[in-house]
Amino acid sequence: MLLEIKGLRKTFDDGTRALQGVDLSVKLGEFVVILGSSGSGKTTLLRSINGLVNPEAGEVKFFDQVISSTTLPDLRKKTGMVFQDFNLVNNLSSLNNVLTGLLDSSNSLMSMLYLFSREQKMQALKCLEMVGLLDKAYSRVDKLSGGQKQRVGIARAIIKNPTLLLADEPVASLDPMISGSIMTLLKNIGHKIGLTIICNLHQVDLALKYSDRIVGLSGGRIVLDAPTKDLDEEYIRKIYQGHGSGLFFNEDDI
Amino acid sequence: MSSSNLKVFNSLIMAVAPGGDNLEGLDFQQLASYLSDKIGIPVKPKYCKDYNEAMTMLSDGIAQIGWLGAYAYKKLESDNSPVVEFAVGVPKGKNVPFYRSQFIVRSESNIQILEDVRNKRIALGDVYSTSGYEVPRRELLDVGINLQNEGSFKAITNVANHDEAIRSVIQGTADVAPVSSINLELMIANGTINTKDFRIIHQSPNIPGAPLVYLRNLEKNLKEQIKSLVLDAHNHIDVSGYGGHMDRYVDPVESHREYIESYLRPQWTWRTIIGILAFIMIYTLIVIDLEVDISQLLSDSFLYMKDVLGRMLPPDFSNFNHLMLAMLETVEIAMLGTLLAIALSIPIGLLSARNIAPNYPIYLIARTITVFFRAIPEFIMAMILVIAIGFGAMPGVIALGFHTMGFLAKFYAESIEHVNEEPMKAIESMGASKWQIIAFSVVPQVIPSFIGNNLYILDRNIRMATMLGIVGAGGIGYELQSAFRMFEYPRVSAIIIIIFLTIFVIDMLSSYIRSKVL
């Protein structure tokens, strides 16, 4: 098992109970979508995996090793993260943004002068080619479109050759057509380099179309965990209605 | 697949997608006969009428080897391709297996840049053509022209291949055409077209050369045999392929690495390095010209400094109340001067912001006013005003007000120019007047920088006002000046301490205000 999460709980200082005992196992090479509306706890769950959030109870095991402050750096070396708002450095070129993914293994003095080795640059260019942005390598990212920015974000996340990719609502800021192409890209890259992907989404159609497995989250609890091929929109709708979640809008709400 | 697969074939078919008019630009004949000789079964090129036919022949297994053009091959690759690439041709006279898509127009055409292509007549290739369709599509999209939208052009002529596209531009049936650099160079080389007849207005980044492919499920030995024969062929025969004569065929892995390498650039461009060197040189020359001698500064001057400081201590606070009143006067001058600057800067700042100024002459006049008052130091202005209206606070206030107006108006204008225009459009779309737009979208956005800039100017004016007394414009500067003249160094140090403490308190106060309002 690549990842094993047991009894994860998190209550924020303002009293929000984000996670109320979550158990989840992820196999190597799986494309898991965590489906839930905003406030369901999916961002907290994802961030608990790479230690951006400290859970109050429960444990996360990565390759059979419990994640603690001593094992966290190792986990972070093996995970990449893709963000909803891309979190790129706007004034830098796409290439330099991708190269930031290699900073932990770079000579700190040289990297302060933006100097990277030929191999590192080749690696970054290959990642940009993989996301189809090679010809934008030297463009500033603030000149790129939203979809292109997220492609740079993906290239940055995969440059370390991670085992696990965490994607937090990667297409929430993009229009539906571009969303599809970004999800396809994630899936293809996952296949190509044998990447395990955990992706937060709130769109049921995207989850059904691209994932191997769907984990439904509602009110900080798992309400659904099944292979995607066994699921359809009707079934997911029924499950969520039972939990009073806002994953779907009821006509009464509008 | 079993190893007996080889025996099934009594010939191998090579499906070739269209490149030019004829075999001339896409000659696999020699390579095919070389393979036939070495493998022992006939290898026959089959020239297809379009990309689709070539792809179908391969995916149906009718052909075993093929050349599909880079894009069509990529298309196959994405749909769980039945083919794999095994060799890429390096054109003769080039070291790299790349080419480009080039947009050509007639020499007398008024099309200068890619943007001009809009509403012109364009000749386009097959949608599966890399340099005749797919790459041009992306290049045009970058300048906001959608190739798939017929409304982007006056007319679209669909051509069968690059040669036809080139001809249609030369003959005038189309205004512009994106074509493969390989076909263009070939047609120039064989004299079909003259370089004087056309211009290249735009060219794409490198496109990887299109590979030769074979079926994935061919028998392993046969695949290896074909590959090693093709990669070695240039040592025995004159190889050719897409673009005519080939220098050699290379392994796609090697060609891919070279392709990526073609995008390597130094992290620091020559321009940046030259800039840094020029900067260092200019400052070296300045230091030499000014005869800056740090060793002298450290030896002699240090002793004099020690002497002066010795005479200044201890500070003499004997007329403390008088000095404090003078200091208060200085602060008052600064505050009034700042208020004057703000009052003057609001209208002038608005008029010197490009997005607010009603027209260009007014903008230019407002800008000139701000530059003019920035250029005259308040010191000079105060000196003139002292002569004109006499000693006292007034010349100081006016000098500070007008000089810092030059700065403040510029700051205001800059922050107004950087305002996000989208809310302005939203308010405008709902029928608000110009002044209402300013009040509801510009003002709220510039308030933080407005307050920040005003506090900075107040801070600066207090420091400057202490000096203005020296030219007779009132305040503590006058006391400082007379103490210096009388060689009363302990009083000088007392005044300096009072100025320091005042500025310190004002600084604390303004950061407090900043933290509260910004």
Side-chain angles (χ1 to χ4, degrees):
Chain A
M1 221 31 102
L2 173 76
L3 193 72
E4 275 186 282
I5 296 171
K6 278 209 185 82
L8 213 57
R9 282 175 186 281
K10 175 74 187 176
T11 307
F12 284 105
D13 295 339
D14 64 358
T16 315
R17 292 162 73 178
L19 297 178
Q20 304 188 50
V22 168
D23 300 316
L24 178 69
S25 303
V26 178
K27 279 191 299 230
L28 202 63
E30 256 188 316
F31 189 149
V32 179
V33 161
I34 298 178
L35 188 64
S37 56
S38 60
S40 62
K42 60 188 192 305
T43 298
T44 312
L45 176 58
L46 208 67
R47 292 182 172 205
S48 305
I49 296 172
N50 67 352
L52 292 178
V53 166
N54 281 324
E56 64 205 44
E59 62 171 30
V60 177
K61 270 188 181 171
F62 184 70
F63 279 123
D64 292 328
Q65 201 170 32
V66 179
I67 295 307
S68 64
S69 52
T70 50
T71 53
L72 191 59
D74 182 52
L75 171 124
R76 284 191 177 159
K77 272 194 203 314
K78 290 176 186 153
T79 49
M81 194 156 184
V82 175
F83 302 87
Q84 176 180 344
D85 296 313
F86 325 129
N87 296 10
L88 301 173
V89 186
N90 271 338
N91 293 338
L92 290 182
S93 65
S94 313
L95 182 70
N96 279 339
N97 263 288
V98 176
L99 282 166
T100 59
L102 291 177
L103 285 176
D104 64 337
S105 59
S106 298
N107 177 318
S108 47
L109 189 69
M110 297 295 263
S111 59
M112 291 308 269
L113 295 169
Y114 288 78
L115 294 172
F116 292 89
S117 72
R118 187 189 160 86
E119 289 82 82
Q120 287 178 316
K121 284 202 274 181
M122 286 291 285
Q123 210 176 326
L125 287 170
K126 271 182 202 158
C127 290
L128 280 172
E129 194 209 12
M130 222 185 271
V131 299
L133 272 187
L134 193 53
D135 54 329
K136 297 274 185 254
Y138 296 93
S139 307
R140 273 171 52 157
V141 292
D142 52 0
K143 301 269 183 283
L144 302 181
S145 71
Q148 290 174 327
K149 283 181 187 170
Q150 193 57 294
R151 283 166 190 270
V152 176
I154 293 170
R156 177 180 64 183
I158 60 172
I159 192 173
K160 277 190 293 186
N161 269 326
T163 322
L164 176 64
L165 186 77
L166 304 172
D168 190 9
E169 291 271 13
V171 296
S173 312
L174 303 172
D175 69 50
M177 208 178 84
I178 308 286
S179 296
S181 74
I182 292 288
M183 290 305 293
T184 310
L185 180 70
L186 274 178
K187 196 174 170 75
N188 288 347
I189 285 179
H191 268 295
K192 215 172 201 166
I193 62 177
L195 199 58
T196 309
I197 300 174
I198 303 180
C199 178
N200 280 350
L201 286 179
H202 66 269
Q203 301 96 325
V204 183
D205 54 334
L206 291 180
L208 284 169
K209 192 163 171 196
Y210 295 100
S211 66
D212 299 332
R213 181 177 148 207
I214 294 177
V215 175
L217 214 59
S218 178
R221 285 197 178 87
I222 289 182
V223 293
L224 166 76
D225 185 349
T228 308
K229 58 176 168 38
D230 300 344
L231 297 170
D232 58 31
E233 196 162 329
E234 203 53 42
Y235 181 77
I236 295 176
R237 189 185 290 268
K238 225 185 317 184
I239 295 223
Y240 272 91
Q241 267 165 358
H243 288 83
S245 159
L247 188 63
F248 295 95
F249 284 112
N250 290 321
E251 268 155 54
D252 310 346
D253 298 338
I254 307 169
Chain B
M1 288 291 150
S2 69
S3 59
S4 62
N5 220 14
L6 180 57
K7 293 172 192 106
V8 177
F9 300 114
N10 33 36
S11 71
L12 290 170
I13 306 287
M14 186 175 190
V16 182
D21 283 348
N22 43 46
L23 307 189
E24 178 187 40
L26 198 57
D27 187 359
F28 292 104
Q29 201 59 55
Q30 275 172 301
L31 198 62
S33 29
Y34 178 72
L35 287 175
S36 310
D37 273 1
K38 296 285 173 180
I39 303 174
I41 48 171
V43 178
K44 297 173 193 158
K46 162 83 175 83
Y47 292 92
C48 303
K49 65 177 195 307
D50 54 27
Y51 283 91
N52 216 22
E53 187 190 345
M55 284 199 291
T56 314
M57 279 185 77
L58 280 160
S59 43
D60 292 350
I62 299 166
Q64 295 76 38
I65 310 176
W67 179 88
L68 294 173
Y71 176 66
Y73 166 69
K74 281 268 179 288
K75 197 85 181 161
L76 271 182
E77 185 190 45
S78 59
D79 306 327
N80 267 338
S81 170
V83 298
V84 280
E85 54 186 349
F86 68 92
V88 183
V90 181
K92 206 137 205 139
K94 301 211 168 136
N95 285 319
V96 286
F98 322 132
Y99 66 111
R100 292 169 190 272
S101 170
Q102 297 173 320
F103 285 79
I104 58 164
V105 299
R106 275 183 308 287
S107 3
E108 74 275 10
S109 167
N110 57 5
I111 302 175
Q112 302 297 340
I113 52 170
L114 200 52
E115 280 90 332
D116 298 343
V117 167
R118 194 186 295 278
N119 293 326
K120 297 292 189 306
R121 295 171 304 154
I122 193 168
L124 290 176
D126 194 313
V127 290
Y128 288 127
S129 165
T130 313
S131 54
Y133 193 89
E134 179 54 20
V135 171
R137 184 185 69 80
R138 287 191 225 163
E139 296 290 304
L140 284 168
L141 209 55
D142 278 350
V143 296
I145 301 174
N146 185 354
L147 193 59
Q148 279 139 323
N149 177 1
E150 285 184 21
S152 308
F153 304 100
K154 195 165 152 198
I156 298 178
T157 315
N158 290 306
V159 292
N161 57 47
H162 294 299
D163 297 1
E164 195 183 324
I166 295 168
R167 264 200 315 274
S168 64
V169 168
I170 303 274
Q171 292 165 357
T173 52
D175 299 316
V176 61
V179 298
S180 156
S181 60
I182 292 178
N183 290 79
L184 197 61
E185 280 161 24
L186 215 65
M187 284 180 84
I188 296 167
N190 64 22
T192 320
I193 52 168
N194 192 321
T195 45
K196 274 183 257 156
D197 296 338
F198 67 93
R199 274 183 294 127
I200 296 171
I201 54 155
H202 178 85
Q203 64 176 7
S204 71
N206 281 340
I207 305 170
L212 286 171
V213 298
Y214 45 44
L215 290 181
R216 194 183 294 276
N217 60 13
L218 280 188
E219 193 239 357
K220 189 162 169 279
N221 289 338
L222 179 61
K223 282 199 287 189
E224 275 169 14
Q225 194 185 10
I226 294 173
K227 180 171 177 172
S228 61
L229 283 171
V230 170
L231 295 189
D232 181 53
H234 63 277
N235 292 322
H236 308 282
I237 57 157
D238 204 7
V239 287
S240 51
Y242 177 48
H245 295 294
M246 290 285 154
D247 192 54
R248 63 186 190 282
Y249 276 88
V250 295
D251 193 301
V253 175
E254 187 192 324
S255 116
H256 181 248
R257 202 195 60 235
E258 281 175 12
Y259 171 59
I260 300 273
E261 269 171 3
S262 76
Y263 280 90
L264 271 180
R265 278 189 225 163
Q267 286 289 88
W268 294 99
T269 58
W270 278 111
R271 235 187 306 172
T272 319
I273 294 168
I274 288 170
I276 293 169
L277 289 179
F279 179 86
I280 293 171
M281 215 169 74
I282 288 167
Y283 271 87
T284 314
L285 289 174
I286 288 174
V287 168
I288 292 169
D289 189 51
L290 292 180
E291 293 169 7
V292 177
D293 185 350
I294 292 167
S295 62
Q296 193 202 351
L297 202 67
L298 288 174
S299 55
D300 305 0
S301 317
F302 192 67
L303 291 175
Y304 289 124
M305 200 67 194
K306 212 171 134 190
D307 177 51
V308 173
L309 282 176
R311 278 192 264 170
M312 285 172 97
L313 294 169
D316 171 16
F317 284 107
S318 54
N319 52 355
F320 182 73
N321 287 346
H322 177 71
L323 289 180
M324 283 311 281
L325 282 175
M327 188 70 233
L328 181 66
E329 196 192 354
T330 294
V331 173
E332 286 169 349
I333 290 170
M335 288 175 71
L336 205 55
T338 307
L339 187 67
L340 178 63
I342 295 172
L344 291 170
S345 297
I346 290 173
I348 292 179
L350 281 172
L351 294 178
S352 58
R354 215 160 301 180
N355 51 347
I356 296 288
N359 58 46
Y360 191 73
I362 290 182
Y363 159 78
L364 208 63
I365 291 167
R367 269 274 140 121
T368 312
I369 291 172
T370 64
V371 174
F372 178 75
F373 283 105
R374 250 195 340 265
I376 307 174
E378 58 256 86
F379 237 59
I380 312 286
M381 225 187 281
M383 270 161 86
I384 296 166
L385 287 167
V386 166
I387 298 163
I389 57 178
F391 289 97
M394 270 321 280
V397 170
I398 295 170
L400 278 180
F402 275 88
H403 178 65
T404 50
M405 176 271 283
F407 283 98
L408 216 44
K410 182 182 153 79
F411 293 162
Y412 292 174
E414 270 171 12
S415 63
I416 292 168
E417 279 169 4
H418 289 127
V419 153
N420 182 357
E421 307 251 336
E422 300 309 310
M424 285 173 76
K425 284 185 194 136
I427 291 171
E428 191 182 357
S429 75
M430 287 174 279
S433 73
K434 176 119 185 160
W435 288 105
Q436 286 171 322
I437 295 169
I438 292 174
F440 279 87
S441 79
V442 178
V443 172
Q445 288 191 63
V446 299
I447 280 281
S449 69
F450 176 77
I451 292 169
N453 287 329
N454 291 346
L455 284 173
Y456 166 72
I457 291 295
L458 177 65
D459 201 271
R460 170 197 183 280
N461 279 351
I462 290 169
R463 281 179 281 120
M464 289 317 295
T466 59
M467 292 296 109
L468 282 179
I470 293 171
V471 294
I476 200 154
Y478 181 72
E479 303 297 325
L480 193 65
Q481 165 90 334
S482 44
F484 258 118
R485 288 232 173 107
M486 305 287 187
F487 302 110
E488 292 171 336
Y489 291 118
R491 276 192 68 197
V492 169
S493 62
I495 293 168
I496 290 173
I497 289 170
I498 288 172
I499 292 172
F500 167 74
L501 288 177
T502 310
I503 290 174
F504 186 74
V505 170
I506 300 278
D507 187 64
M508 299 292 278
L509 215 66
S510 77
S511 24
Y512 175 75
I513 297 172
R514 248 176 247 264
S515 72
K516 284 290 154 197
V517 294
L518 297 188

